[in-house]
Amino acid sequence: MSVKEKSAMSEDAPVNAGAVRWPDADPAYLAVRRMQSKLHRWAVKDPDRRFGDLFNLVYDPAFLMHAWERVSTNTGGRTPGVDRATALQIETRIGVEAFLAQIRTSLKSGEFEPAEVRQVMIPKAGGKLRKLGIPTIADRVVQASLKAVLEPIFEADFLPSSYGFRPNRRAHDAVAEIHHLSSGSMKYHWILEADIHACFDEIEHTALMTRLRARISDKRVNTLVKAFLKSGVMTTIGDWEATPAGTPQGGVLSPLLANIALSALDEHFDRQWKREMRTDKWRARRRRNGLGNWRLIRYADDFVVVVSGERHHAEALREEVTGVLAPLGLRLSPDKTRVVHIDEGFDFLGFHIRRQRKRGTQKYYVYTKPSRRAIQAIKDKVKDRTRRAYQDMRPDELLISLNRTLRGWANYFRHGVSKAIFGAIDYHAWHRIVAWIFRKHSRISWQQLIRRFCLPGTWKLACNGVEFTGASSVKVTRYRYRGTKIPTPWTPPPATAAAGG
């Protein structure tokens, strides 16, 4: 790193020397954003550059305060780690600045050691359980600060095919790319639908650290990341277990580390694309020679490879993917990995994607709509919320709760062919609410229910000024494919970039 660049870094972190001045949340955010923009610009400018002198940023007061804001305002801030401390308890008993000062001192002195994560089990679809590792609040703050330092550097390297746990990107972008490639003349109609088995639990530490060190030469940063990977787990029965592999789900840093590891898959397919399929002419020549063309779309550990060609082209990619994942200590889930045609349809990120004939025409279009599993999941939530256990709630409280749940679900699925499904969900919820009212008021008649709990002259449920609006209150809109150049939060505007700023 040049003297000029070190000087630029020190301008954003003058409090590292002398007395500590803890900034408020907004100035901390601005200072962190300025430093992140510089790191990102340097990483973009020189793809081979290895970054040193980063550890001082991890314990910089602005970075720590910004990390505290991210951790304490997140709903997870109410969830304790093995020390049983929550963000609220720290604020009231210790004080934020005193707490951050302790973390800063231990980081500077090299005495900081992550605690083991507290393991909790949460239910998955199909009755299975997912392991989550909950770090302590102190570890979460350090991880958030580490992420703020590392993310703008690695975002310069991450490829457009990756969408999960990245700033300014979302699941809808991945679905929109699949829709774009499989529609019209693109003809990517064969799909290798894949899922990595226990990805967060089985990532090989050596392979991950090798990819991290390719960009980060600061030994203290690398040692700190490795310490988090090796911190261990306190199981639900109180036993300590080592973590020879994996990065626990639930940690602030884990999604970024998983993307660093899985970018090996993105790079493999990107190299193929640039070498053999980049232009229309090359792809046409491959088709004439009986070869296929393909593109990868990945969201964290869920991904698909869309193929223009024949079924056997997609089948052959299964072994290819297996070979790329093996050095990372990862493997495909046999029961979740399959090859399908777009006319059969497949589920991805909660959506069902399928090509069908448009009603009343002979034209075929690719449609996205909520999957059966997603529909059943929201029905189950409505059913659970209207059980006898909630009989003591007031009717207006129940309506508020269901409106919030259904609106949140519908906001995710509003970018699809969802209008009829939203109506069906509301129909189901309406009957569940009516049954709940009849149980709560055992002697009420239909006429009394309509008079007391419906808007005049309608069947719309309402109570104390609260109307049941459900999923149908969310407008269905089309999500536009944004292409391959989605800007990061640190990407300068075109005019600034052109001026060399």
Side-chain angles (χ1 to χ4, degrees):
M1 187 175 290
S2 68
V3 174
K4 181 179 179 182
E5 289 168 348
K6 286 184 178 180
S7 175
M9 292 177 71
S10 64
E11 289 174 6
D12 285 292
V15 292
N16 280 338
V20 176
R21 292 175 295 164
W22 292 100
D24 293 332
D26 290 342
Y29 168 81
L30 293 174
V32 169
R33 181 54 63 95
R34 285 196 300 270
M35 191 66 247
Q36 287 180 321
S37 297
K38 292 177 181 179
L39 291 171
H40 184 71
R41 185 173 70 248
W42 296 334
V44 170
K45 185 177 179 180
D46 186 358
D48 297 321
R49 176 177 183 162
R50 298 181 70 220
F51 285 78
D53 293 333
L54 294 177
F55 194 73
N56 64 316
L57 291 177
V58 177
Y59 61 76
D60 180 275
F63 274 78
L64 287 177
M65 181 60 72
H66 177 63
W68 167 261
E69 286 297 313
R70 297 294 298 269
V71 170
S72 62
T73 56
N74 189 284
T75 54
R78 298 193 293 266
T79 307
V82 292
D83 61 355
R84 297 296 173 182
T86 65
L88 180 60
Q89 290 172 346
I90 289 169
E91 287 178 346
T92 55
R93 296 178 184 178
I94 304 175
V96 174
E97 292 188 5
F99 174 69
L100 295 180
Q102 292 174 5
I103 294 176
R104 185 173 188 270
T105 300
S106 63
L107 285 170
K108 286 186 68 176
S109 65
E111 297 174 352
F112 178 84
E113 291 186 6
E116 61 270 23
V117 298
R118 182 171 68 88
Q119 187 181 88
V120 297
M121 309 297 285
I122 60 172
K124 293 173 60 178
K128 296 181 180 180
L129 294 175
R130 182 194 304 263
K131 296 179 182 178
L132 283 187
I134 309 299
T136 63
I137 295 294
D139 287 352
R140 272 178 265 180
V141 169
V142 176
Q143 286 191 29
S145 185
L146 253 178
K147 182 184 177 184
V149 174
L150 296 177
E151 188 172 50
I153 296 172
F154 283 95
E155 273 295 320
D157 301 334
F158 290 158
L159 295 168
S161 57
S162 167
Y163 292 98
F165 304 114
R166 294 183 59 189
N168 286 0
R169 289 167 171 259
R170 52 200 304 219
H172 300 91
D173 289 309
V175 173
E177 182 170 3
I178 296 172
H179 186 279
H180 172 73
L181 292 172
S182 58
S183 298
S185 61
M186 302 297 285
K187 295 183 179 179
Y188 288 81
H189 291 163
W190 287 100
I191 315 294
L192 173 62
E193 180 189 3
D195 179 80
I196 301 173
H197 175 77
C199 175
F200 284 83
D201 297 330
E202 297 185 359
I203 291 177
E204 216 277 322
H205 288 171
T206 302
L208 171 57
M209 292 304 300
T210 298
R211 296 188 66 81
L212 185 75
R213 292 188 182 103
R215 265 302 204 178
I216 308 300
S217 62
D218 191 319
K219 292 182 179 180
R220 293 179 298 173
V221 169
N222 293 329
T223 300
L224 183 58
V225 171
K226 191 171 184 179
F228 278 116
L229 293 174
K230 300 291 187 182
S231 62
V233 173
M234 186 64 70
T235 67
T236 54
I237 60 174
D239 293 335
W240 183 87
E241 289 183 358
T243 50
T247 175
Q249 282 182 278
V252 179
L253 195 60
S254 293
L256 175 61
L257 295 180
N259 269 335
I260 292 172
L262 291 173
S263 59
L265 189 65
D266 308 334
E267 291 165 5
H268 171 81
F269 282 97
D270 186 63
R271 284 192 298 269
Q272 283 187 336
W273 178 263
K274 290 179 178 177
R275 187 175 61 243
E276 303 171 17
M277 314 172 205
R278 184 170 51 191
T279 68
D280 292 339
K281 184 179 179 179
W282 291 0
R283 293 193 295 273
R285 183 175 59 206
R286 286 176 61 84
R287 285 194 293 269
R288 289 195 302 270
N289 293 334
L291 302 175
N293 299 300
W294 46 81
R295 296 290 296 271
L296 171 77
I297 298 99
R298 182 175 66 82
Y299 189 93
D301 56 337
D302 290 328
F303 66 91
V304 297
V305 183
V306 294
V307 179
S308 173
E310 303 296 333
R311 184 185 185 97
H312 67 271
H313 296 133
E315 292 284 3
L317 291 173
R318 189 196 305 252
E319 293 302 318
E320 192 171 316
V321 169
T322 300
V324 177
L325 294 178
L328 301 173
L330 302 174
R331 53 201 169 97
L332 293 175
S333 299
D335 56 332
K336 295 183 180 180
T337 301
R338 62 185 185 130
V339 172
V340 297
H341 193 272
I342 193 67
D343 291 348
E344 300 173 61
F346 66 100
D347 293 347
F348 188 62
L349 303 179
F351 285 91
H352 183 72
I353 306 170
R354 184 180 180 185
R355 189 177 69 164
Q356 294 176 277
R357 183 173 61 84
K358 185 177 181 181
R359 186 179 301 175
T361 73
Q362 295 300 316
K363 295 183 178 180
Y364 283 78
Y365 296 92
V366 176
Y367 294 95
T368 61
K369 61 182 180 181
S371 67
R372 289 183 179 179
R373 179 177 290 182
I375 294 170
Q376 189 58 52
I378 191 62
K379 284 185 175 181
D380 290 343
K381 279 189 177 182
V382 171
K383 183 178 179 181
D384 180 69
R385 203 68 56 84
T386 51
R387 291 183 186 275
R388 293 183 184 276
Y390 291 88
Q391 213 68 54
D392 293 336
M393 289 181 71
R394 299 198 314 267
D396 55 331
E397 290 177 334
L398 178 67
L399 295 181
I400 291 172
S401 174
L402 288 176
N403 280 341
R404 186 182 299 117
T405 298
L406 291 172
R407 188 165 54 247
W409 182 86
N411 270 321
Y412 179 81
F413 289 105
R414 65 193 176 100
H415 303 300
V417 187
S418 305
K419 185 175 181 180
I421 293 173
F422 288 176
I425 295 296
D426 288 351
Y427 180 81
H428 168 79
W430 189 93
H431 281 276
R432 292 292 308 181
I433 296 168
V434 168
W436 181 89
I437 292 173
F438 274 123
R439 285 197 304 271
K440 185 175 181 68
H441 304 280
S442 56
R443 297 184 180 181
I444 196 173
S445 67
W446 266 106
Q447 290 77 11
Q448 291 171 323
L449 183 145
I450 293 170
R451 186 177 67 253
R452 291 177 57 185
F453 298 105
C454 291
L455 294 177
T458 72
W459 291 91
K460 293 182 179 179
L461 294 167
C463 180
N464 294 336
V466 179
E467 180 183 346
F468 174 67
T469 54
S472 297
S473 62
V474 176
K475 184 180 179 181
V476 174
T477 60
R478 181 178 177 182
Y479 192 86
R480 298 287 180 177
Y481 173 53
R482 295 199 285 166
T484 59
K485 295 184 179 180
I486 301 173
T488 72
W490 315 287
T491 302
T496 306

